[in-house]
């Protein structure tokens, strides 16, 4: 009853990506290619598995899987300029991550993490290990991220290109300022509005947020 993941995004080539969380079974699902949980998947729009998926031909593997070692990705988007698929996922008491999704990569959960057990205490081997990806960015403490968008309009001035992430736990929209492919600043927007479930760029060029139990709102600078 937890860690469903369940986010979707299309890339520029027409492939559909979606996330499945590790369902709370951290020690069995995310590192096992034979099990469904803790993965990002890539399929054709009719459900077929692409023949160039990284685990096609691997005995017993989930061939629709594109990455593994993911915890609970509740944000996913395609970069409006490069087309790269980017996700963020919940960590335990810290260690929420943003990751650029690369074929066949292991994102480390639960072997490496910047978080700790609920109630305190380390559980991961370390924060880094050979053969496992480092996050593009991580939060300590956790903000419980949900929803992900990249501003792709000059309507918001110098916000263009920044990342938007909703916070379930602290009930605000976070904006990450991006420069030279790294985060240089964090800012809270619409602080205290409620548990943000999603954020999207609308076809009209406005930012839209979905707030749990309240509805959908647009944001103007």
């Amino acid at each position: 009853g937890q860690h469903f993941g369940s986010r979707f995004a299309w890339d520029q080539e027409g492939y559909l990506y979606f996330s499945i969380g590790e369902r709370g079974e951290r020690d069995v699902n995310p590192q096992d290619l034979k099990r469904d949980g803790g993965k990002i998947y890539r399929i054709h729009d009719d459900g077929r598995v692409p023949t160039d998926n990284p685990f096609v031909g691997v005995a017993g593997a989930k061939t629709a899987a594109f990455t593994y070692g993911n915890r609970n990705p509740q944000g996913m988007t395609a970069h409006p300029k490069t087309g790269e698929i980017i996700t963020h996922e919940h960590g335990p008491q810290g260690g929420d991550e943003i990751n650029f999704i690369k074929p066949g990569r292991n994102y480390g959960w639960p072997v490496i993490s910047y978080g700790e057990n609920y109630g305190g205490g380390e559980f991961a081997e370390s924060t880094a290990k050979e053969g496992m990806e480092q996050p593009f960015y991580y939060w300590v403490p956790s903000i419980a991220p949900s929803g992900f968008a990249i501003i792709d309009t000059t309507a918001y001035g110098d916000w263009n290109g920044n990342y938007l992430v909703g916070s379930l736990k602290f009930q605000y929209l976070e904006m990450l300022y991006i420069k030279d492919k790294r985060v240089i600043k964090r800012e809270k927007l619409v602080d205290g509005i409620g548990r943000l479930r999603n954020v999207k760029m609308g076809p009209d060029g406005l930012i839209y947020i979905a707030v749990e139990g309240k509805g959908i709102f647009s944001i103007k600078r």
Side-chain angles (χ1 to χ4, degrees):
Q2 58 185 340
H3 298 181
F4 293 100
S6 304
R7 295 294 176 164
F8 297 79
W10 297 92
D11 72 6
Q12 292 177 341
E13 297 178 339
Y15 292 107
L16 175 63
Y17 293 75
F18 62 94
S19 67
I20 295 181
E22 39 85 303
R23 303 307 308 280
E25 298 289 341
R26 74 181 190 198
D27 295 322
V28 293
N29 282 338
Q31 291 294 320
D32 189 346
L33 290 173
K34 298 178 181 179
R35 301 177 70 97
D36 293 307
K39 316 255 181 332
I40 304 295
Y41 290 83
R42 174 186 183 243
I43 59 175
H44 287 287
D45 59 2
D46 61 2
R48 289 179 296 118
V49 174
T51 57
D52 62 346
N53 266 13
F55 305 116
V56 170
V58 177
K62 299 294 182 179
T63 56
F66 199 70
T67 70
Y68 64 114
N70 304 101
R71 186 175 185 264
N72 185 26
Q74 290 193 27
M76 181 184 293
T77 191
H79 194 285
K81 295 293 190 294
T82 67
E84 295 172 286
I85 298 297
I86 315 173
T87 68
H88 64 60
E89 59 183 71
H90 289 241
Q93 288 201 157
D96 303 336
E97 298 180 356
I98 293 177
N99 291 300
F100 282 77
I101 298 304
K102 307 292 185 182
R105 302 294 177 86
N106 181 350
Y107 288 85
W109 178 254
V111 181
I112 61 174
S113 176
Y114 286 90
E116 63 178 22
N117 268 324
Y118 295 105
E122 297 181 356
F123 64 89
E125 293 181 11
S126 65
T127 57
K129 187 174 182 178
E130 186 176 357
M132 296 182 176
E133 299 298 302
Q134 282 291 296
F136 169 78
Y137 183 77
Y138 64 89
W139 289 266
V140 175
S142 171
I143 67 166
S146 185
F148 194 9
I150 298 175
I151 300 174
D152 185 32
T153 174
T154 58
Y156 290 92
D158 60 2
W159 287 7
N160 192 26
N162 290 345
Y163 295 0
L164 298 170
V165 179
S167 171
L168 290 168
K169 182 177 182 180
F170 297 115
Q171 302 187 10
Y172 67 84
L173 180 65
E174 177 152 317
M175 182 166 64
L176 301 174
Y177 288 77
I178 307 297
K179 183 178 181 180
D180 298 328
K181 297 183 178 180
R182 64 186 183 92
V183 176
I184 61 169
K185 178 183 174 182
R186 298 170 59 187
E187 182 178 348
K188 290 182 181 180
L189 306 178
V190 291
D191 193 5
I193 194 171
R195 287 168 58 85
L196 269 77
R197 283 292 178 184
N198 212 350
V199 53
K200 292 288 185 182
M201 295 302 301
D204 56 3
L206 293 178
I207 299 166
Y208 287 86
I209 56 173
V211 183
E212 186 174 302
K214 294 183 178 180
I216 297 173
F217 305 86
S218 63
I219 298 175
K220 296 182 179 179
R221 187 170 182 180

